[in-house]
Amino acid sequence: MENAMSITRTARRTGAEIAVSIAALAVGSLILTACSGSSDSAGKLDGTYYIKDVNGTSHLGQLVVKGSNVSHHEYGCDGVYVKPGVTSTGEFNKDQSQIIWTVAGDDTRNKRTGTEPISTSNTSISVSGSAYVRDNSDAGKALLDAFKAKCKK
């Protein structure tokens, strides 16, 4: 009888240990999911975004996002899709609340220097309050069509 009791106690302890192990695995899984979710959010921003009349000019502004890297280009009618008139590159800060511009180029018209606050949605990225719309969204397609039409004149 004593052996049966010690086996039962051992089984109970082992059962409790198993329950603790399962709980620890579940918590670990949630942590990994949360971490991978934050890196996925960077990928969700990947793409090309546009704004009209960038920096108060009649130029087309283009923001290209690849992971945490960002490039900003400005196009006039004579250079649309050929070579941007102004280019800057930067990267998102860790929590993706700012762009840190790392290379401003040597064009004096460049307004992308230092850091700028951003906010995001599924179809846009706002940089210092100016909304850039995703190229494949309805607003992005309309903006590009209007710019092309303006440039044909």
Side-chain angles (χ1 to χ4, degrees):
M1 195 77 162
E2 221 173 284
N3 280 341
M5 288 180 77
S6 81
I7 290 173
T8 303
R9 285 184 191 145
T10 303
R12 284 184 189 153
R13 281 187 224 139
T14 304
E17 290 171 359
I18 290 172
V20 167
S21 295
I22 290 171
L25 285 172
V27 168
S29 175
L30 286 173
I31 290 170
L32 287 175
T33 301
C35 289
S36 67
S38 63
S39 65
D40 286 347
S41 66
K44 288 180 183 178
L45 296 177
D46 282 5
T48 303
Y49 301 79
Y50 291 101
I51 189 170
K52 69 177 186 169
D53 302 331
V54 66
N55 298 325
T57 68
S58 61
H59 293 165
L60 177 72
Q62 179 190 59
L63 191 68
V64 180
V65 177
K66 290 183 182 178
S68 63
N69 297 314
V70 181
S71 59
H72 185 269
H73 313 282
E74 293 181 26
Y75 294 95
C77 283
D78 56 344
V80 72
Y81 299 117
V82 179
K83 182 182 176 198
V86 180
T87 295
S88 319
T89 57
E91 58 190 35
F92 291 121
N93 67 343
K94 195 170 190 165
D95 67 358
Q96 294 185 325
S97 64
Q98 294 181 334
I99 296 175
I100 303 162
W101 297 107
T102 53
V103 178
D106 55 3
D107 194 308
T108 56
R109 296 171 296 165
N110 194 337
K111 305 287 187 209
R112 304 289 172 216
T113 59
T115 61
E116 290 187 275
I118 66 163
S119 60
T120 63
S121 75
N122 289 337
T123 59
S124 69
I125 297 177
S126 291
V127 179
S128 292
S130 298
Y132 289 73
V133 292
R134 193 180 284 271
D135 64 344
N136 60 1
S137 69
D138 290 342
K141 290 174 187 173
L143 189 149
L144 286 174
D145 289 346
F147 188 78
K148 288 177 189 176
K150 177 183 100 171
C151 288
K152 286 183 180 178
K153 293 180 180 179

